[in-house]
Amino acid sequence: MIGEKTRNAMNEQIKHEMESFYIYLSMAAYFHAQNLDGMAHWMRCQAHEEMIHAVKFYDHILDRGGVVTLLDLKQIKTSWKKPLEPWLEAYEHEKFITGKIKDITKISREENDYSSEPLLSWFLKEQIEEEKNTEKVSRELAMVENSKEGILMLDRELVARVFTAGSPLDPTAYNVVA
Ligand SMILES: [Fe+2]
Ligand SMILES: [Fe+2]
């Protein structure tokens, strides 16, 4: 049985991951509107990945006999002034999420809930990637910020992101991203 405080923190985290999904989907819409379809594609892949993250916590709570409580999502931002802004915000957001994963890890340890450790270790490792990726694009974009050619080049590069995982709600795809 999952610890009560750990369960509450994970229910909160489902909300944070769903808000991440929402944030990246909103950024994708912004990039499409700017004709930056490569960046939009990257954000769509990211949104998909975030929904998988939410379902990982959802499944973990259920697998451990806990009750899943889906909380209200906040209204997120829908417009930005220039392409660099969403990327900087994405990087800041990922650092915020890393902090949340660390908090849950601390709470679960205080409750001696060692069964949550493999999942939380996976997330800690995943957050290193998420921070690294968003920081890298932010830096590259900052380098070419005033060059339309530079922005277009980066956009064409980001279209190459491949994300093959199926729907997070498809029973055969639960653990595709391991
Ligand atoms: Fe996530
Ligand atoms: Fe993320």
Side-chain angles (χ1 to χ4, degrees):
M1 186 80 174
I2 193 165
E4 194 186 331
K5 288 179 182 157
T6 303
R7 183 207 59 206
N8 291 344
M10 287 189 179
N11 272 318
E12 277 283 333
Q13 193 59 27
I14 292 174
K15 168 187 150 78
H16 292 309
E17 299 293 344
M18 287 308 291
E19 280 174 353
S20 303
F21 162 78
Y22 227 34
I23 286 169
Y24 293 125
L25 201 62
S26 185
M27 290 178 177
Y30 163 77
F31 284 125
H32 278 305
Q34 304 296 311
N35 287 319
L36 293 169
D37 292 333
M39 293 190 189
H41 166 75
W42 195 99
M43 289 295 173
R44 279 173 179 248
C45 293
Q46 192 62 24
H48 188 170
E49 211 172 81
E50 299 299 354
M51 204 199 277
I52 289 175
H53 293 172
V55 176
K56 275 181 182 280
F57 282 112
Y58 176 105
D59 282 339
H60 183 78
I61 294 170
L62 291 175
D63 287 347
R64 307 271 318 281
V67 176
V68 167
T69 309
L70 297 180
L71 304 167
D72 286 352
L73 303 185
K74 68 176 180 201
Q75 175 62 53
I76 47 104
K77 211 168 153 176
T78 54
S79 67
W80 291 266
K81 288 193 195 78
K82 54 183 180 178
L84 176 61
E85 269 186 8
W87 288 101
L88 288 173
E89 284 176 23
Y91 177 44
E92 288 307 313
H93 181 70
E94 290 303 338
K95 287 194 280 187
F96 163 77
I97 294 291
T98 301
K100 289 290 170 195
I101 303 290
K102 286 179 183 170
D103 290 345
I104 306 172
T105 305
K106 189 166 176 279
I107 291 165
S108 71
R109 284 182 185 173
E110 282 164 4
E111 279 192 318
N112 295 327
D113 190 346
Y114 300 113
S115 304
S116 290
E117 291 218 345
L119 179 77
L120 292 166
S121 299
W122 183 91
F123 271 99
L124 288 168
K125 192 161 158 269
E126 172 71 9
Q127 282 310 118
I128 294 174
E129 276 297 303
E130 304 253 304
E131 284 187 30
K132 190 181 93 179
N133 294 340
T134 47
E135 188 189 19
K136 185 172 184 284
V137 180
S138 299
R139 281 189 181 175
E140 288 174 347
L141 205 46
M143 271 186 244
V144 299
E145 213 192 342
N146 298 317
S147 151
K148 284 189 176 132
E149 293 88 343
I151 293 172
L152 262 184
M153 203 182 78
L154 201 51
D155 183 70
R156 296 301 181 269
E157 217 173 88
L158 290 167
V159 83
R161 178 171 178 178
V162 178
F163 190 70
T164 52
S167 162
L169 302 173
D170 174 352
T172 60
Y174 284 159
N175 292 307
V176 170
V177 181

